[in-house]
Amino acid sequence: MDVSVVIVNYNTKDLILDCINSVIEKTKDINYEIIVADNNSADESVSAIKNKFPSVKILELEENIGFGRANNKGIKIAGGKYIFCLNPDTVLLNNAIKILFDFMEAHEEAGAAGGNLYDKNLKPCYSFGYGDDIISLLFRKTILKWTHRPVFRRIKDYEKNRDKSKVQEVNNITGADLILRKSVLDKVGCFNEKFFMYFEETELETRIRRAGYKIFFVPESKIIHFEDKFRNNKHKNKHFQESFVEYYRICYGEAWAEIAEFLIRKRMKK
């Protein structure tokens, strides 16, 4: 098996059906499997997948255990040389998985990689992060989100318009379309289950980089990400805030966690 595609689902029936269909339609010339880890959905997702895609392996979890833990369940039964974590709110635009597979095969130094994400209007959206240190990460993920000062606005525009036309080493790939080398996961471990959702992929990729591997952005791999479907959810905002602080606690220590918590409080007051 070349690639195990692992999709975590929670009440996204229509989206995940489109996602799986795009994987089957677009993926050519590799051996792959699709594994869905369902977080106890109540919208008949499981029965719909079984009826439409009987070859898909489904893990029917008894409760919503979150993104990272559910991915770990899928990874545990995966038979692929690579694990491709794919969000259910995505649709492949081309043979994206094969493109990422070929890249990983050609670059032994790569521990993980991801493709070029687009919104529903086919405009580029967040695919990766550049920052390789605590200051730049804090800066982008907090200060630039709640300041409107001209100098910071120019920096924000610079971040948004960075070159996405070439393969490049990056700090982290979003968890929406993350291909992972299974042999590297065997060394560094899978997703940290302290995170319910958000920053679990960032923490994992930090471990991958610290183990001596590189993370790459591969723009030829193209995928739509309907991330706006899940914005403005108070429960998810709470998870984001908690995970933001926990990420810095785990990766950089208690002092930086306190700074992260301060920045989150500042952000919430805006």
Side-chain angles (χ1 to χ4, degrees), residues 151-167:
V151 62
F152 292 132
R153 177 61 60 189
R154 288 195 295 272
I155 296 173
K156 186 175 182 179
D157 290 341
Y158 170 70
E159 290 276 332
K160 183 178 179 180
N161 296 312
R162 274 175 163 171
D163 185 9
K164 292 186 177 181
S165 65
K166 60 183 180 181
V167 171

Side-chain angles (χ1 to χ4, degrees), residues 75-118:
I75 293 169
K76 187 174 181 179
I77 67 167
K81 181 178 181 181
Y82 299 96
I83 306 296
F84 185 53
C85 298
L86 185 65
N87 270 22
D89 59 332
T90 58
V91 171
L92 273 58
L93 290 172
N94 60 5
N95 198 358
I97 301 174
K98 175 64 159 54
I99 291 168
L100 291 172
F101 169 79
D102 287 344
F103 180 86
M104 297 295 285
E105 288 286 274
H107 297 82
E108 293 184 358
E109 73 277 18
N116 213 342
L117 297 181
Y118 299 84

Side-chain angles (χ1 to χ4, degrees), residues 131-162:
D132 58 0
D133 59 75
I134 183 72
I135 298 298
S136 60
L137 280 171
L138 280 167
F139 189 72
R140 282 202 314 281
K141 291 187 179 296
T142 55
I143 296 174
L144 290 181
K145 289 184 181 297
W146 45 256
T147 185
H148 295 285
R149 297 176 185 176
V151 62
F152 292 132
R153 177 61 60 189
R154 288 195 295 272
I155 296 173
K156 186 175 182 179
D157 290 341
Y158 170 70
E159 290 276 332
K160 183 178 179 180
N161 296 312
R162 274 175 163 171

Side-chain angles (χ1 to χ4, degrees), residues 3-261:
V3 180
S4 295
V5 182
V6 179
I7 307 172
V8 174
N9 179 63
Y10 181 63
N11 293 329
T12 60
K13 181 177 73 171
D14 293 336
L15 288 169
I16 196 170
L17 292 177
D18 288 342
C19 175
I20 293 171
N21 188 62
S22 76
V23 171
I24 293 171
E25 282 191 351
K26 299 294 185 180
T27 307
K28 311 294 181 184
D29 304 321
I30 57 171
N31 295 318
Y32 71 95
E33 63 181 348
I34 301 175
I35 300 169
V36 172
D38 184 81
N39 271 324
N40 197 26
S41 295
D43 66 347
E44 301 182 346
S45 293
V46 171
S47 59
I49 295 168
K50 287 180 178 178
N51 289 334
K52 190 169 183 179
F53 306 108
S55 64
V56 171
K57 299 178 182 179
I58 304 178
L59 295 174
E60 298 182 54
L61 305 176
E62 295 181 354
E63 60 180 320
N64 183 1
I65 62 174
F67 181 79
R69 289 179 63 192
N71 263 309
N72 287 348
K73 297 287 187 183
I75 293 169
K76 187 174 181 179
I77 67 167
K81 181 178 181 181
Y82 299 96
I83 306 296
F84 185 53
C85 298
L86 185 65
N87 270 22
D89 59 332
T90 58
V91 171
L92 273 58
L93 290 172
N94 60 5
N95 198 358
I97 301 174
K98 175 64 159 54
I99 291 168
L100 291 172
F101 169 79
D102 287 344
F103 180 86
M104 297 295 285
E105 288 286 274
H107 297 82
E108 293 184 358
E109 73 277 18
N116 213 342
L117 297 181
Y118 299 84
D119 66 17
K120 62 183 178 182
N121 299 313
L122 296 182
K123 294 182 179 179
C125 61
Y126 180 75
S127 302
F128 59 86
Y130 269 107
D132 58 0
D133 59 75
I134 183 72
I135 298 298
S136 60
L137 280 171
L138 280 167
F139 189 72
R140 282 202 314 281
K141 291 187 179 296
T142 55
I143 296 174
L144 290 181
K145 289 184 181 297
W146 45 256
T147 185
H148 295 285
R149 297 176 185 176
V151 62
F152 292 132
R153 177 61 60 189
R154 288 195 295 272
I155 296 173
K156 186 175 182 179
D157 290 341
Y158 170 70
E159 290 276 332
K160 183 178 179 180
N161 296 312
R162 274 175 163 171
D163 185 9
K164 292 186 177 181
S165 65
K166 60 183 180 181
V167 171
Q168 53 196 290
E169 184 180 352
V170 296
N171 181 75
N172 63 283
I173 295 291
T174 176
D177 69 318
L178 178 63
I179 193 166
L180 299 156
R181 193 180 299 275
K182 182 60 165 56
S183 61
V184 173
L185 292 182
D186 291 338
K187 293 178 182 179
V188 306
C190 296
F191 290 99
N192 189 322
E193 298 190 357
K194 288 184 178 180
F195 298 91
F196 185 82
M197 64 187 302
Y198 297 118
F199 288 93
E200 59 279 280
E201 78 272 27
T202 312
E203 190 275 336
L204 172 57
E205 291 173 79
T206 298
R207 278 185 278 134
I208 290 172
R209 287 188 293 104
R210 289 176 177 177
Y213 297 92
K214 296 180 179 180
I215 314 293
F216 287 95
F217 168 67
V218 184
E220 289 184 12
S221 174
K222 301 180 186 298
I223 300 170
I224 294 176
H225 185 203
F226 300 101
E227 60 181 338
D228 59 329
K229 296 283 185 179
F230 302 107
R231 288 176 178 169
N232 302 318
N233 180 305
K234 65 179 181 180
H235 297 295
K236 294 193 175 185
N237 288 338
K238 181 175 181 291
H239 289 308
F240 177 91
Q241 294 155 18
E242 292 174 346
S243 295
F244 180 78
V245 175
E246 188 63 24
Y247 167 72
Y248 287 106
R249 177 174 289 111
I250 291 171
C251 292
Y252 297 98
E254 194 61 40
W256 281 113
E258 292 179 5
I259 294 173
E261 191 168 9

